[in-house]
Amino acid sequence: FSFAIDNVYVRLRVNLQRERLEDANVIGLIEGNDPKLKDEVVVIGAHYDHIGTSFLGGQKQIFNGADDNASGTSGLLELAQYFAANRERIKRSLLFVAFGAEEIGLIGSRYFVDNPKVPLERVVAMVNMDMVGRLRNNALYVLGVSSSPAWKDLLMEVNSQFNFVLRDSPGIFGASDHFPFYNKGIPV
């Protein structure tokens, strides 16, 4: 709903100051056992940062990250522990990545896809766990289903054991660590 305003001129001055911050991704690999599939890698990721505070109603308040980052990183650690204890069942290799700096621009995941620790052409999928603590009324939101023709049938098969009401959103929602992978053509 933008519009032009005749005879109005604006002068703008911006004073940017570059600030260098350091952060890190934390990565662990569990190699698969299938001789034909072990060179394929599934990245399982979550981000461990959160913004700390936000302004709600003009007041600075603590912005608890329990549903955002903590639920994903807890799930990431649980899956890593489970698969480490059950290595014999793993066909493809699993790369667990705790991304830094998601909240300020997907910096950790963008860095990873631009500087991968395994060749990116070996990464066959990325499973992002962000805000996994939002299950309400048995509705499970699974985003990125359209990024691979295999996802929908796989989800239906797995969900037949649980009977969640599966929800997706049209397109690919780009505000989390799966998005840099999607931009590189990797199913998410």
Side-chain angles (χ1 to χ4, degrees):
F1 298 107
S2 61
F3 57 91
I5 303 174
D6 293 333
N7 300 318
V8 174
Y9 298 92
V10 176
R11 181 175 292 180
L12 180 68
R13 177 181 291 166
V14 177
N15 183 18
L16 296 177
Q17 294 180 6
R18 185 174 294 262
E19 182 179 357
R20 180 169 170 80
L21 302 172
E22 291 195 23
D23 206 344
N25 293 332
V26 181
I27 301 172
L29 175 71
I30 301 175
E31 191 172 65
N33 290 309
D34 187 296
K36 293 181 181 175
L37 296 176
K38 73 178 185 177
D39 288 336
E40 294 182 1
V41 177
V42 175
V43 172
I44 301 172
H47 71 96
Y48 64 86
D49 68 316
H50 79 102
I51 29 185
T53 59
S54 71
F55 286 92
L56 300 172
Q59 299 285 327
K60 186 174 183 179
Q61 297 182 12
I62 294 174
F63 185 78
N64 296 305
D67 183 32
D68 188 359
N69 62 340
S71 62
T73 53
S74 298
L76 181 79
L77 292 171
E78 286 292 322
L79 286 175
Q81 181 178 20
Y82 173 82
F83 286 116
N86 294 280
R87 292 172 188 261
E88 71 282 352
R89 299 177 64 190
I90 301 170
K91 293 182 180 183
R92 290 175 178 86
S93 295
L94 302 176
L95 188 66
F96 294 90
V97 185
F99 294 108
E102 186 259 10
E103 297 289 357
I104 57 173
L106 312 179
I107 294 170
S109 54
R110 287 176 200 241
Y111 182 85
F112 180 90
V113 299
D114 290 337
N115 304 277
K117 296 301 176 190
V118 297
L120 217 50
E121 59 272 7
R122 289 181 45 203
V123 177
V124 297
M126 191 281 184
V127 177
N128 185 34
M129 297 192 302
D130 190 353
M131 298 177 21
V132 297
R134 294 204 168 192
L135 184 65
R136 304 284 188 275
N137 301 318
N138 205 43
L140 181 63
Y141 289 83
V142 183
L143 307 178
V145 176
S146 63
S147 69
S148 169
W151 284 153
K152 187 171 184 176
D153 290 342
L154 179 61
L155 280 170
M156 293 303 145
E157 179 185 331
V158 171
N159 191 44
S160 68
Q161 302 171 50
F162 302 101
N163 296 313
F164 289 115
V165 176
L166 295 178
R167 301 260 193 258
D168 189 10
S169 66
I172 302 295
F173 184 67
S176 191
D177 289 312
H178 63 281
F179 200 60
F181 290 84
Y182 175 76
N183 284 335
K184 295 286 187 176
I186 298 168
V188 296

